[in-house]
Amino acid sequence: MSRREIDHILTGKVVTLDESGRIAEAVAVQGERIVAVGERRELLALRGSATRVTETGGTIIPGFNDAHAHMDTEGLRDCFPALGHVRSIADVLARIAELARATPRGEWIVTMPVGDAPFYFGGPIVLRERRMPTRAELDSVAPDHPVCILPPSGYWSLVPCYTALNSLALKLNGLDRHSTSPVEGVDLERDAAGDLTGVIVEHNYPDSAQIALLPAVPRFSPKDRRDGILRSVRAYHAVGTTSVYEGHGCAPEVISAYRDLWQANELTMRMHLVVSPTWATCDEAELMMRDWLPHARGTGIGDATLRIGGIFVGYGGEPTAARAARINPADLGWSCYVKHANEPAEFEKLCMLAAAHDLRIHTIAVDKLYELLPIFERVHAAHDISRRRWVVEHMSHASASDLARLRALGIGVTLIPDYHLWKVGTRFFPLSESDRELVSPTAQLDALGVPVACGTDNSPLNPLAAMRAMRTRRERTTGTVLGAAACTSPDLALRAMTQNGAWFSFEEHVKGRIAPGYLADLAVLSGCPLTTPGEELETLSCLATMVGGRFVHGNV
């Protein structure tokens, strides 16, 4: 190898994740690719006069590949002012009054939720009064501004979620004592006289109250989405993430925002976007699959930075929320996807249509794998899907026998271990110890040879939190370990958050290893994730992140 061929040499503890599992001392990069991996002395002997040498002092790993990220949501949270560390109604009102003084009369005041970021767990239970402020209380500090305290999404917080509006906000949205919610699971709170208090309570995980009831509340503009994605990319790079797989689907507005950034050469995160379609009926779906989605067939279309392929089709869901969302599919709220609700027969018909048009399906399973498998097996009998890489997303719990059936279908699985084990692990306390082992079953799927990768679900965005959950399986409120025998090895936890995600975007031959010919997508951590105890993984920091041979975070 000629010295002038090497642009960059990084030294440190190099976790290659190659077939031998070796630990190296240095990595050589030329252009976007890794060209050599080995001992520090050997690689430094290859440097030329223009070669940059970076002594990282840390552990170099393949960049994290977040297999279920909802990345764009992170940056959107900066569009609205935070209430801060409020602990009483008076604190909330003081913050609203402050915003009213800085906002021209008549303009909207829209804030982030009550509660503590990033999760906003419990919402108003953090307040001394353990309730949201009423419209009358909000009126007292902002009578000339419409006010809306937004709810979080139930996915990055927990339900119920709370919205609070003042009288002017209610009026602008056409809400009065005669109003009712068109969506099941959304309640308009009333006082003893039957009048609206201004508080709306959402029991659905996808946020639907704003879409169904609050058309006048300001929405995210295309610029908001583009700017939010750029903020999100920086935040995800800062924790070592170099690739994202959006298997829950992206609506046209979100795909458009990513496309704009890609065309402007501003997108540094490697993205694989799955299409979240806007059809309302199976007939519309057939037409769209035939005429409008050829670009999403097979492995999709795009390049190493932005690729679009596959479709998301929901199984189950709340029908009234889906009907409200279809009135204006561009009204997404916090979500990046179009909300749908499909009964089993309708879902199967859509899967059959997708298979006939070579469109691979992604769907959320949660604990319904046993219902999905017979459908997938009938589709497979009609249209062999074993090599098409269909994906079951966000699976929480399934039987061992059902997990084994996935391999014959060639279906991959994404898991959200921090969500199901740490955040909502109490749901699984009634299970036996052996059944607890099948909650977020990374180790079992890996042993079966079923492709499995893990994601953060943006709750939180740090992949080390997902790895901590995989390795410790501890629930957050009690410390209970959910199925100790299913704790993953350090190696599997790292592979599930790096290497394994490449399968889902058909990139396993260029991503997820530190080896010659692979993309130079690297993260430099302050310590080694293989030797750091599981409980301490989140004490590690990301010193630098490299995508395609270029630093996008830090510079060690």
Side-chain angles (χ1 to χ4, degrees):
M1 181 182 299
S2 169
R3 288 182 175 132
R4 67 175 181 272
E5 292 177 343
I6 298 178
D7 294 330
H8 207 144
I9 296 173
L10 290 82
T11 70
K13 181 178 181 179
V14 182
V15 179
T16 65
L17 293 187
D18 66 10
E19 291 180 351
S20 66
R22 69 169 173 155
I23 304 295
E25 297 175 335
V27 184
V29 174
Q30 169 62 29
E32 291 193 342
R33 303 275 176 163
I34 296 166
V35 292
V37 183
E39 294 182 6
R40 180 179 182 277
R41 174 183 52 80
E42 292 176 342
L43 266 62
L44 289 180
L46 300 174
R47 63 184 168 181
S49 59
T51 302
R52 179 182 176 187
V53 177
T54 300
E55 306 273 4
T56 70
T59 298
I60 304 169
I61 64 170
F64 289 116
N65 190 338
D66 195 327
H68 192 108
H70 293 288
M71 186 184 73
D72 66 301
T73 301
E74 182 67 23
L76 290 177
R77 299 178 199 182
D78 290 336
C79 290
F80 300 115
L83 291 174
H85 190 67
V86 292
R87 285 296 178 266
S88 67
I89 298 291
D91 291 344
V92 175
L93 297 181
R95 176 61 173 145
I96 297 298
E98 177 187 4
L99 292 170
R101 289 191 293 271
T103 304
R105 181 177 178 179
E107 291 189 8
W108 275 90
I109 296 171
V110 182
T111 76
M112 290 297 287
V114 170
D116 296 328
F119 301 109
Y120 301 96
F121 286 146
I125 68 169
V126 304
L127 303 181
R128 186 178 305 118
E129 297 84 355
R130 299 181 71 82
R131 63 172 177 82
M132 294 292 283
T134 66
R135 66 172 181 169
E137 289 167 330
L138 294 172
D139 289 346
S140 71
V141 293
D144 301 320
H145 299 80
V147 176
C148 177
I149 299 174
L150 290 171
S153 161
Y155 284 121
W156 44 273
S157 181
L158 291 173
V159 294
C161 298
Y162 299 84
T163 305
L165 305 110
N166 70 349
S167 296
L168 185 52
L170 289 171
K171 180 179 179 180
L172 291 174
N173 285 287
L175 297 174
D176 58 30
R177 66 177 292 126
H178 304 294
S179 299
T180 58
S181 173
V183 174
E184 292 183 21
V186 175
D187 299 327
L188 292 164
E189 189 179 274
R190 300 176 187 275
D191 61 21
D195 291 319
L196 299 181
T197 66
V199 176
I200 301 175
V201 185
E202 172 91 66
H203 297 278
N204 301 314
Y205 275 85
D207 47 312
S208 54
Q210 184 176 359
I211 292 169
L213 290 166
L214 305 176
V217 175
R219 298 317 202 236
F220 297 117
S221 68
K223 185 178 186 301
D224 288 336
R225 291 202 177 274
R226 289 193 297 272
D227 292 347
I229 287 170
L230 290 176
R231 289 191 293 270
S232 296
V233 166
R234 290 193 292 271
Y236 276 68
H237 281 332
V239 293
T241 301
T242 57
S243 292
V244 162
Y245 189 81
E246 295 290 12
H248 200 153
C250 291
E253 288 72 23
V254 178
I255 292 175
S256 179
Y258 277 109
R259 181 208 59 207
D260 290 349
L261 295 172
W262 171 73
Q263 288 180 335
N265 200 31
E266 296 181 61
L267 188 61
T268 57
M269 186 71 72
R270 300 195 191 277
M271 301 296 305
H272 185 111
L273 308 181
V274 172
V275 176
S276 180
T278 59
W279 61 61
T281 66
C282 286
D283 288 341
E284 285 184 10
E286 185 171 17
L287 182 65
M288 290 181 68
M289 289 185 197
R290 188 193 71 191
D291 295 345
W292 298 108
L293 289 170
H295 63 281
R297 292 176 182 167
T299 61
I301 193 169
D303 62 13
T305 300
L306 179 63
R307 180 164 290 274
I308 300 169
I311 57 174
F312 179 86
V313 177
Y315 179 76
E318 212 298 297
T320 58
R323 283 197 294 272
R326 283 201 299 269
I327 294 171
N328 181 9
D331 191 1
L332 303 172
W334 292 114
S335 304
C336 63
Y337 54 90
V338 180
K339 297 174 180 65
H340 282 267
N342 295 303
E343 295 299 319
E346 187 176 19
F347 177 80
E348 183 166 346
K349 183 174 181 180
L350 291 168
C351 287
M352 286 288 186
L353 288 170
H357 289 90
D358 192 24
L359 287 160
R360 64 172 176 152
I361 288 287
H362 302 68
T363 197
I364 299 289
V366 192
D367 59 352
K368 295 292 188 277
L369 183 63
Y370 70 97
E371 294 181 10
L372 290 167
L373 280 168
I375 295 173
F376 289 146
E377 287 166 345
R378 288 192 290 272
V379 174
H380 177 62
H383 308 275
D384 185 352
I385 63 170
S386 62
R387 292 178 177 83
R388 302 193 194 187
R389 304 194 183 187
W390 285 25
V391 185
V392 170
E393 302 274 342
H394 219 301
M395 190 173 73
S396 64
H397 178 264
S399 70
S401 59
D402 284 345
L403 296 181
R405 292 162 67 183
L406 288 165
R407 184 173 180 180
L409 297 169
I411 291 176
V413 176
T414 65
L415 303 175
I416 317 296
D418 199 44
Y419 182 86
H420 286 119
L421 293 166
W422 178 77
K423 185 185 285 188
V424 300
T426 53
R427 295 178 183 175
F428 307 104
F429 281 5
L431 298 179
S432 67
E433 179 67 9
S434 60
D435 280 341
R436 287 181 178 188
E437 293 169 9
L438 293 164
V439 177
S440 194
T442 310
Q444 293 90 331
L445 288 165
D446 184 70
L448 288 166
V450 175
V452 57
C454 293
T456 66
D457 207 29
N458 189 241
S459 60
L461 60 85
N462 191 349
L464 292 169
M467 291 174 59
R468 178 255 303 143
M470 278 184 268
R471 287 178 54 184
T472 67
R473 299 180 66 84
R474 288 193 185 278
E475 187 274 329
R476 66 185 172 89
T477 61
T478 65
T480 299
V481 175
L482 288 162
C487 291
T488 67
S489 67
D491 176 73
L492 176 54
L494 183 58
R495 284 192 290 113
M497 282 305 308
T498 55
Q499 186 177 99
N500 291 7
W503 181 91
F504 292 79
S505 56
F506 299 89
E507 295 177 295
E508 62 267 36
H509 301 301
V510 293
K511 277 186 186 179
R513 294 184 182 183
I514 301 179
Y518 278 67
L519 291 167
D521 297 353
L522 309 169
V524 183
L525 303 183
S526 59
C528 181
L530 297 181
T531 57
T532 300
E535 294 282 10
E536 299 175 17
L537 280 170
E538 287 168 280
T539 67
L540 302 181
S541 60
C542 178
L543 305 177
T545 306
M546 175 179 280
V547 175
R550 182 166 67 93
F551 281 117
V552 293
H553 164 71
N555 207 359
V556 291

